[in-house]
Amino acid sequence: MHEQEQREITAVQNRSFWETQKAAQELLSARGIDDAAVDAWYLIEYVTGMDRTKFLLERQRPMELSAQEAYLALVRRRAAHVPLQRLTGEQEFMGFKFRVREDVLIPRQDTEILVEEAVRYLREQPSGNRKEPRKVLDLCTGSGCIAICLKKMCPDIEAAASDLSKAALTAAEENGERLGADITWIESDIFENIDGIYDLIVSNPPYIRTDVIRELSDEVRLFEPRMALDGHADGLYFYRRIIGEAKNFLKAGGKLMFEIGYDQGEDVARLLAQ
Ligand code: GLN
C-alpha cells in the first residue's frame, strides 16, 4: 500500500496542473491529511507562484516535469504530516507574514485573540498627559509574533520580548527586521535578565501538560519544538513562574495578559488570586 502510494506520486510527462493537483490531493487524503484539497492547492501556489485565477485558466496545460518534481517532493513531506507552514516556511498572523523556522512554534490563529485584547487595552488608554512611551513585554516570544504585531499596531509603545531559546530569538529578530518592528530582544529565562517596569506584560507560554503531548497530532507532536509546548506536569509551570514574579515588573495599575489552554481558566485564575 505504502509503496504503491509512493509510486503513484511521481512526475508524469504531459500531466496537467489539474491532474497533478488531484493526484496530490488523493495521496494527502489517503494519508489522513484533513484539508487535503486546500493543502494540495497551497503547495501548487507556493511552487509555481500562480494565483487562483491563473491556475483556473491554465489548469489543463501540462505541468513541466521539473515543477511537478518540486511540487511532489513537498506533497510527499506533507503526506508524512510535516505541517504546511514548515514546508512553505511562513505563516500569516494578524495579516503579517511570519517566517517560521523549525525552532519556533507556528503562530496560531487562537493567539490573535490575545493580540487583539492587548491592542484594545493599549488603545483605550488616552495618551494625553503621558510623558514616556508605554512599555510592553512579551515573555516566551517564540517567532516574535505577539510582540511584533503589538509594535506594528501600536507604534508608540516601547516593546521588549524574551525567550529562553537563542534560536527562537534569532528567528524573532529576523521577523522583526523583515516586518519593520523595532523591539528589544532579550535572551532570558522568564524574568531572569529582564529589568525595568512595564505597563503591560503579555505571554503565550508553553502550556501543554507533559503527559498530553504524546496525544497531540503528528503535526504538533513531531514538528513543533517540544520546548514551545511543554508546560511541565500540570501545564501551569510558566504561569506560576510568571505570576510569581510579575508584580516586580509591573507598574501600579499595569496589566498581565495570557493565552491559556481551554481548560486552564480556573487554575490560572486561582494562581492570580494567590
Ligand atoms: N509566543 C509565541 C506564540 O504565541 C510562542 C509560544 C510558545 O512557544 N509557546 O506563537
Side-chain angles (χ1 to χ4, degrees), residues 83-96:
L84 189 71
Q85 297 90 335
R86 297 267 175 241
L87 300 174
T88 62
E90 55 189 43
Q91 170 66 47
E92 230 175 70
F93 180 80
M94 298 298 296
F96 298 105

Side-chain angles (χ1 to χ4, degrees), residues 105 111 140-142 145-146 204-206 228:
L105 189 83
T111 308
C140 310
T141 195
C145 62
I146 298 173
N204 174 24

Side-chain angles (χ1 to χ4, degrees), residues 93-94 96 98 115 118-119 122-123 133-138 144-161 175-177 179-185 200 202:
F93 180 80
M94 298 298 296
F96 298 105
F98 285 82
V115 173
V119 167
L122 289 167
R123 286 185 181 160
R134 277 162 311 160
K135 293 178 67 180
V136 177
L137 174 66
D138 174 26
C145 62
I146 298 173
I148 291 169
C149 289
L150 292 179
K151 180 67 189 175
K152 295 295 288 180
M153 298 172 80
C154 305
D156 62 329
I157 63 172
E158 198 177 294
N175 277 320
E177 255 163 47
L179 293 165
D182 183 17
I183 306 216
T184 306
W185 304 105
L200 172 64
V202 293

Side-chain angles (χ1 to χ4, degrees), residues 17-46:
F17 282 88
W18 179 246
E19 291 296 328
T20 307
Q21 187 197 294
K22 238 175 53 192
Q25 181 183 332
E26 275 159 22
L27 176 77
L28 294 178
S29 68
R31 297 289 172 80
I33 303 297
D34 289 339
D35 297 318
V38 175
D39 289 8
W41 159 247
Y42 272 133
L43 290 172
I44 291 256
E45 185 185 42
Y46 177 70

Side-chain angles (χ1 to χ4, degrees), residues 93 104-108 111 114 138-146 163 203-207 227-229 259:
F93 180 80
V104 298
L105 189 83
I106 298 167
R108 301 294 204 269
T111 308
L114 174 60
D138 174 26
L139 296 170
C140 310
T141 195
S143 64
C145 62
I146 298 173
D163 205 286
S203 185
N204 174 24
Y207 58 73
M227 189 182 164
L229 303 174
E259 175 174 319

Side-chain angles (χ1 to χ4, degrees), residues 72-236:
L72 297 177
L74 293 173
V75 169
R76 277 183 221 110
R77 291 176 65 205
R78 183 69 192 101
H81 289 247
V82 179
L84 189 71
Q85 297 90 335
R86 297 267 175 241
L87 300 174
T88 62
E90 55 189 43
Q91 170 66 47
E92 230 175 70
F93 180 80
M94 298 298 296
F96 298 105
K97 215 169 247 180
F98 285 82
R99 280 276 182 82
V100 287
R101 316 214 218 151
E102 59 190 20
D103 317 291
V104 298
L105 189 83
I106 298 167
R108 301 294 204 269
Q109 222 166 7
D110 299 345
T111 308
E112 294 186 341
I113 296 170
L114 174 60
V115 173
E116 280 160 8
E117 285 300 318
V119 167
R120 195 203 324 259
Y121 173 71
L122 289 167
R123 286 185 181 160
E124 259 170 15
Q125 295 171 306
S127 57
N129 48 11
R130 209 181 300 126
K131 291 182 211 80
E132 288 170 358
R134 277 162 311 160
K135 293 178 67 180
V136 177
L137 174 66
D138 174 26
L139 296 170
C140 310
T141 195
S143 64
C145 62
I146 298 173
I148 291 169
C149 289
L150 292 179
K151 180 67 189 175
K152 295 295 288 180
M153 298 172 80
C154 305
D156 62 329
I157 63 172
E158 198 177 294
S162 77
D163 205 286
L164 179 57
S165 153
K166 215 188 194 86
L169 278 181
T170 305
E173 199 163 351
E174 189 184 308
N175 277 320
E177 255 163 47
R178 285 164 51 87
L179 293 165
D182 183 17
I183 306 216
T184 306
W185 304 105
I186 305 162
E187 190 182 332
S188 176
D189 181 9
I190 310 292
F191 289 109
E192 193 176 41
N193 300 322
I194 303 292
D195 44 32
I197 298 283
Y198 294 85
D199 297 271
L200 172 64
I201 299 175
V202 293
S203 185
N204 174 24
Y207 58 73
I208 316 283
R209 285 191 349 241
T210 305
D211 64 356
V212 171
I213 292 179
R214 64 186 146 78
E215 295 163 20
L216 302 176
S217 69
D218 286 358
E219 277 82 348
V220 177
R221 189 171 51 87
L222 303 176
F223 299 102
E224 292 289 10
R226 189 176 170 111
M227 189 182 164
L229 303 174
D230 194 345
H232 298 212
D234 67 357
L236 302 172

